[in-house]
Amino acid sequence: MTAYERVTQARAKGRASTADFIENIISGFIEMHGDRRFADDSSIISGIGRLGDIPVTVIGVEKGKSVKERGLRNSGSAHPEGYRKALRQMKLAEKFRRPVICFVDTPGAFCGIGAEERGQGQAIAENLMEMMTLKTPIVSIIIGEGGSGGALALAVADEVWMLENSVYSVISPEGCAAILWKDGKRATEAAECLKLTAQDLLKFGVIEKIIPENIKTDKKIFETVKQELIKTFEKNSTVQNLTENRYKRYRKIGEF
């Protein structure tokens, strides 16, 4: 499968979303709303529940499935209040020592005038800074598109996993082609150059795990993710080791 074919798969209409993962792997989920500053961003789902017997905080980007829901969810492009809502839940998770699970599926943060006026860049930057030193375990899973800073704002973690046909990149292939060659039709070529597939990113050490999708049903994928998360969170690690290892993880990316 080519890189652009993986992009197409990551964007596929019937693909399992954050809401599907929460419904199938988290029990007793209670959604939390609002950033206590401006509004509640429906692009971000956040709340608490149980992963088996482990209390967890869950945060994820939801694109929506129907035309109406995609409109309400802004097709997964979060506003600054969405990232602030996510950070509020992360800080509560730290206070109560709950592990954090992030599901990422976004083409990128919303870039409208209102979002910029309300501090989109600052909201993303604050998440990056706070997640780096958050004193509780974090696992982020790219389940579809992982686009630009909008994805990274939920993906500074102890481990980053990707579904086999998901993608993770600083820019979309179409955007890259338009900037480099002034020709969006060269997106297929750009996708190869960007090295945005799970297979490429595992090789470069940007992610730790690929969740296979060459299995018959989404139910099997949900069960695989659930069991892998339980195994990860059952590991004993001191807070100091957790933050030190997270720091080292990001310092080594890009080393040659």
Side-chain angles (χ1 to χ4, degrees):
M1 193 180 288
T2 67
Y4 197 75
E5 286 172 339
R6 303 259 186 208
V7 173
T8 304
Q9 286 290 314
R11 295 170 175 169
K13 188 176 180 181
R15 194 173 180 84
S17 69
T18 288
D20 295 321
F21 277 89
I22 291 173
E23 182 181 348
N24 284 276
I25 74 172
I26 303 297
S27 60
F29 181 72
I30 301 171
E31 187 172 358
M32 304 292 188
H33 297 275
D35 68 341
R36 290 190 173 178
R37 295 192 197 182
F38 181 76
D40 181 43
D41 185 354
S42 296
S43 301
I44 302 286
I45 296 176
S46 66
I48 57 175
R50 285 188 173 273
L51 176 74
D53 294 327
I54 305 169
V56 293
T57 289
V58 186
I59 302 162
V61 188
E62 175 62 39
K63 287 182 174 179
K65 293 186 176 178
S66 67
V67 173
K68 182 178 180 181
E69 191 182 2
R70 280 182 173 265
L72 291 171
R73 302 282 190 184
N74 206 33
S75 296
S77 292
H79 294 79
E81 50 269 23
Y83 295 113
R84 291 180 180 127
K85 174 169 73 169
L87 182 56
R88 177 179 162 230
Q89 294 306 316
M90 290 178 205
K91 298 301 285 185
L92 283 172
E94 180 182 55
K95 179 178 179 179
F96 294 105
R97 300 181 181 179
R98 289 191 298 261
V100 177
I101 305 166
C102 294
F103 294 106
V104 179
D105 184 16
T106 178
F110 188 61
C111 55
I113 292 174
E116 298 298 337
E117 288 175 340
R118 296 193 302 278
Q120 184 72 288
Q122 182 186 26
I124 291 171
E126 282 181 353
N127 278 27
L128 305 186
M129 179 180 69
E130 294 287 351
M131 290 180 80
M132 185 60 72
T133 57
L134 201 72
K135 296 177 177 64
T136 196
I138 316 169
V139 172
S140 292
I141 309 172
I142 316 295
I143 60 173
E145 286 186 280
S148 193
L152 193 59
L154 295 180
V156 176
D158 304 304
E159 293 190 18
V160 178
W161 306 345
M162 292 178 69
L163 265 62
E164 184 178 11
N165 293 322
S166 61
V167 293
Y168 189 25
S169 174
V170 68
I171 193 171
S172 70
E174 294 83 2
C176 178
I179 290 170
L180 290 183
W181 303 304
K182 305 295 186 288
D183 184 4
K185 293 179 181 178
R186 295 178 69 177
T188 301
E189 184 181 349
E192 296 291 343
C193 295
L194 284 167
K195 304 299 181 187
L196 43 61
T197 68
Q199 295 73 20
D200 287 327
L201 295 168
L202 182 66
K203 182 171 66 176
F204 293 140
V206 175
I207 66 170
E208 279 72 30
K209 197 186 297 281
I210 297 175
I211 306 296
E213 293 187 61
N214 58 341
I215 43 187
K216 293 182 179 179
T217 63
D218 283 343
K219 187 175 181 180
K220 181 64 176 175
I221 297 174
F222 299 142
E223 187 60 30
T224 300
V225 169
K226 181 176 182 178
Q227 294 307 319
E228 290 294 328
L229 284 168
I230 289 171
K231 281 194 292 184
T232 300
F233 292 145
E234 283 179 343
K235 295 175 185 175
N236 291 320
S237 182
T238 65
V239 168
Q240 184 176 356
N241 285 342
L242 200 67
T243 52
E244 283 181 0
N245 290 340
R246 195 180 302 149
Y247 176 78
K248 289 175 183 176
R249 178 190 187 278
Y250 285 92
R251 288 292 293 173
K252 75 179 181 182
I253 292 175
E255 285 185 352
F256 293 93

